[in-house]
Amino acid sequence: MKSAVETLNPTRVRLTVEVPFEELKDSLDAAYKKINQQVTVKGFRKGKIPARVIDQRFGRGAVLEEAVNDALPKFYTEAVNEAELNVLGQPEVDITELKDGETLNFTAEVDVRPALEIPDYSGIEVEVDAVEVTDEDVEKSVEQLRERFASTTPVERAAEEGDVVTIDLEAKVDGEVLEDGIANGVSYTIGSGELLDGIDEAVKGLEAGGEATFTSELKGGSAAGKEAEVTVKVTQVAKRELPELDDDFAQLASEFDTLEELKADSRKRLANMKQFDQATQAQERVLEKLLELVEVPVPEKLLEDEINTRKHNLEHHQLAQMGLTLDKYLEIQGKTAEEFETETREAAVKGIKTQFVLDELVKKEQLNVNQEELTEHLMRRAASSGMSPDQFAQAVVEGGQVPLLVGEVARGKALAVVVEAATVKDTNGEIVNLDDEEEETEAAEASETSEEKNEG
C-alpha cells in the first residue's frame, strides 16, 4: 500500500491511497465466505459453494463490493497511522479506481487537529475580585439561617405579606380542568415568588375558607406556557415567627454555644466561598488570555456538531426537565433566536479552542494523569451528576468514556500550569497565591467546556 497526504487547509487533509490487488486477498476470501453463508445454490451444500459459481450466479462485482467495504477501514487506518495524523470525525471516502486483479485506489478527506504553536505564557496578567467579607455579608448569612428555623402559628385573620398559607389549587385551560391541574394542601409563603405569577395578589386579604380566581401562565406540567384560569382556596393562614438572635439560637441552629461563635464561623465560611469564587475567576480569566495568544483554526464540521449537541442538550434535557420550550426559555432570558444562535456558536468555538490548546499544553509539558487524580475527578463528576460514585463509574466504563475523563483531568493540570506561571492580582492590587491542589481542581472543572465528537 502507498499513501500520500495533501493539506487542504489547516484543519483538513486529503489522503490518496493505492492498494495492490494482492493485498485485498483476505477481504476477498472473507467476502466469498460471507456470501456463502447468505445464499443457497441448488446442488451445493450451504457454505460450500465454489467462488466461480458465486461469480457466475451473483456477479464478481458483488464480491468486489463486499471485499472493498471490508478492506477500506483497515487501509484508511494504516494510511492515517503512517502519516501520523490526529484525525477528527469520520472521513469522506471516494473510490477513484477499482481494477479487478490490479489495483484499488481511493481518497479520504478528513478533519484533523490543527498544528498549534504555544507561545510563552508566563507574562499573562489578570485581575480578580478581592476576598472581602463585610459585616453585612455575615448578617445576611445568619439571617438566612434564622429563616430556616422560623416557626408558624395559625391565626384567624386575613393573609398578609410573609404569612404561610395552606391552599388548594385548580387550573383550567379553555374551560377544562387539567388532569395535572389540581393540587391540595400546598404550603406557600406569600411574597416568596415560588408559585404562579399573580397568586400573591389573589391570596392577600383572604381568610381561611376564602377563595379567589386569577389568570396566570403555567410554568410547568402538561400545559406549560399556556394561560390558565386558576382558582385558589385558602384553608389556613399562619404567621411566621423568627427565633431571637441570641446564644440559644446559636445552640439550636449550630454546634456553637454563642451567637458570636456562630457569626465567626459564618465569616470563615463566606471567606472560603469567596476564595473558591476567586480561584474560579482566575482560571477563567487566565484561560481567556491564553486563548488570545494562540491562533486556533476550528474545523467547520466539528463546530457544527458541537453546536447541534449543545442545542440538543439544552432543549431536550435541561429545558425539558423544567417543562420549558426553547421559545419560552428565550422569552424568559429576553433573547432573540439570532442572539441565542450567536452565543451558542461563540461558546462552541471557545470550547473547541480550549480543548485544542490545553491538549497541546499537555503534550508540551508532558503531563500525565495518575489513578488517584482520576478517582478524585470521577468523585466530583459523580456528585455533580447526582449519581453515586459506583453508578457513575459504571456508566463511564460502559460508555467507553474513561479516555474522556482522563483528558479532562490532564487539561485541568495544563491550565493549572499556566495559572501558576501567570500574575494574578486582586482589585486591591495584591498578588493572589492560589493553592496548587485547589488550582488543579478548579482548572479541571474550568476545562470541561466541550466534548469532541467522533474523535479518532
Side-chain angles (χ1 to χ4, degrees):
M1 186 196 81
K2 292 194 304 182
S3 64
V5 181
E6 176 188 357
T7 300
L8 303 177
N9 62 48
T11 63
R12 195 164 179 82
V13 299
R14 179 188 292 124
L15 284 163
T16 301
V17 183
E18 297 178 10
V19 183
F21 206 80
E22 56 266 24
E23 292 187 31
L24 284 171
K25 183 180 184 306
D26 289 345
S27 293
L28 278 168
D29 291 343
Y32 279 117
K33 186 174 181 179
K34 182 176 180 180
I35 294 172
N36 240 308
Q37 298 301 320
Q38 294 175 337
V39 301
T40 56
V41 175
K42 192 174 181 180
F44 295 97
R45 284 182 297 160
K46 196 173 185 67
K48 300 294 184 180
I49 308 168
R52 59 179 176 77
V53 175
I54 289 177
D55 289 346
Q56 291 168 356
R57 287 293 188 93
F58 306 102
R60 173 71 168 176
V63 179
L64 288 175
E65 182 179 356
E66 182 68 39
V68 169
N69 288 339
D70 175 74
L72 275 177
K74 180 184 72 171
F75 292 122
Y76 165 73
T77 301
E78 286 181 12
V80 165
N81 292 338
E82 189 177 281
E84 297 182 341
L85 298 175
N86 198 337
V87 299
L88 300 164
Q90 299 301 312
E92 294 179 6
V93 177
D94 181 29
I95 298 173
T96 55
E97 187 175 22
L98 176 58
K99 287 186 177 180
D100 195 358
E102 295 183 30
T103 186
L104 163 67
N105 298 336
F106 69 92
T107 62
E109 287 191 17
V110 67
D111 286 334
V112 293
R113 277 181 177 254
L116 301 180
E117 281 293 326
I118 305 294
D120 178 18
Y121 47 78
S122 60
I124 290 178
E125 293 186 12
V126 297
E127 184 181 74
V128 295
D129 294 336
V131 174
E132 295 174 342
V133 179
T134 65
D135 291 343
E136 185 181 348
D137 292 332
V138 175
E139 294 300 330
K140 183 178 178 182
S141 174
V142 173
E143 189 63 28
Q144 287 173 342
L145 183 61
R146 188 183 178 207
E147 290 277 348
R148 285 169 48 195
F149 283 85
S151 60
T152 58
T153 304
V155 292
E156 294 183 7
R157 60 163 172 78
E160 301 173 356
E161 184 83 9
D163 283 346
V164 178
V165 289
T166 304
I167 54 177
D168 296 337
L169 295 165
E170 181 184 86
K172 294 180 180 178
V173 173
D174 298 328
E176 296 291 329
V177 178
L178 299 169
E179 286 187 14
D180 55 354
I182 297 176
N184 295 321
V186 177
S187 181
Y188 174 66
T189 302
I190 301 175
S192 66
E194 294 173 352
L195 277 177
L196 299 166
D197 293 338
I199 194 167
D200 289 340
E201 292 74 13
V203 297
K204 279 181 191 175
L206 294 181
E207 297 183 20
E211 66 177 59
T213 300
F214 63 101
T215 301
S216 183
E217 186 177 295
L218 299 179
K219 295 180 179 179
S222 62
K226 291 185 178 180
E227 287 288 327
E229 183 184 85
V230 182
T231 299
V232 56
K233 181 178 181 180
V234 176
T235 59
Q236 184 185 60
V237 179
K239 181 181 178 181
R240 295 180 77 249
E241 295 179 342
L242 298 174
E244 291 293 326
L245 278 179
D246 53 23
D247 292 348
D248 287 340
F249 169 70
Q251 293 166 24
L252 170 70
S254 72
E255 70 270 32
F256 301 105
D257 293 327
T258 68
L259 183 60
E260 288 309 308
E261 288 175 327
L262 173 60
K263 287 184 176 181
D265 180 68
S266 294
R267 186 179 295 276
K268 181 180 178 182
R269 285 189 298 103
L270 288 169
N272 288 339
M273 288 169 58
K274 292 200 174 191
Q275 285 174 342
F276 185 92
D277 292 342
Q278 185 189 64
T280 302
Q281 197 175 58
Q283 312 294 342
E284 292 171 349
R285 294 184 178 177
V286 167
L287 177 59
E288 286 173 5
K289 291 279 189 180
L290 176 64
L291 293 181
E292 289 173 7
L293 292 177
V294 188
E295 185 68 32
V296 187
V298 176
E300 193 58 36
K301 179 67 168 61
L302 182 66
L303 176 58
E304 292 306 317
D305 287 348
E306 177 68 11
I307 290 171
N308 290 334
T309 298
R310 285 170 180 259
K311 286 181 181 177
H312 179 85
N313 288 340
L314 174 66
E315 192 166 1
H316 298 283
H317 296 291
Q318 295 161 264
L319 297 184
Q321 289 178 356
M322 295 186 286
L324 292 175
T325 63
L326 181 59
D327 288 342
K328 186 60 183 175
Y329 168 75
L330 294 179
E331 181 185 325
I332 293 171
Q333 294 291 313
K335 294 176 184 175
T336 66
E338 291 74 19
E339 288 171 336
F340 171 71
E341 290 287 340
T342 299
E343 289 179 6
T344 304
R345 177 171 284 269
E346 288 174 351
V349 167
K350 182 180 179 182
I352 292 170
K353 286 186 174 182
T354 296
Q355 286 207 352
F356 284 176
V357 170
L358 294 183
D359 284 345
E360 191 66 31
L361 266 168
V362 169
K363 287 196 295 183
K364 180 178 179 180
E365 302 293 344
Q366 297 182 326
L367 301 174
N368 296 310
V369 176
N370 60 41
Q371 186 60 48
E372 184 181 356
E373 291 166 334
L374 183 59
T375 300
E376 288 176 359
H377 183 62
L378 187 146
M379 299 281 279
R380 287 197 302 273
R381 288 291 303 273
S384 65
S385 71
M387 300 169 70
S388 72
D390 287 346
Q391 288 174 323
F392 187 78
Q394 184 177 351
V396 166
V397 172
E398 289 177 354
Q401 300 296 301
V402 173
L404 180 67
L405 258 64
V406 172
E408 288 173 357
V409 178
R411 284 189 287 274
K413 295 181 73 170
L415 182 53
V417 168
V418 182
V419 173
E420 187 177 354
T423 300
V424 181
K425 293 183 180 180
D426 66 19
T427 47
N428 294 329
E430 299 291 329
I431 296 288
V432 176
N433 292 314
L434 301 171
D435 178 77
D436 287 345
E437 183 176 343
E438 181 181 86
E439 191 174 297
E440 288 188 12
T441 299
E442 293 298 315
E445 294 171 358
S447 70
E448 293 161 25
T449 54
S450 167
E451 292 184 9
E452 292 160 18
K453 308 300 174 295
N454 302 319
E455 181 173 354

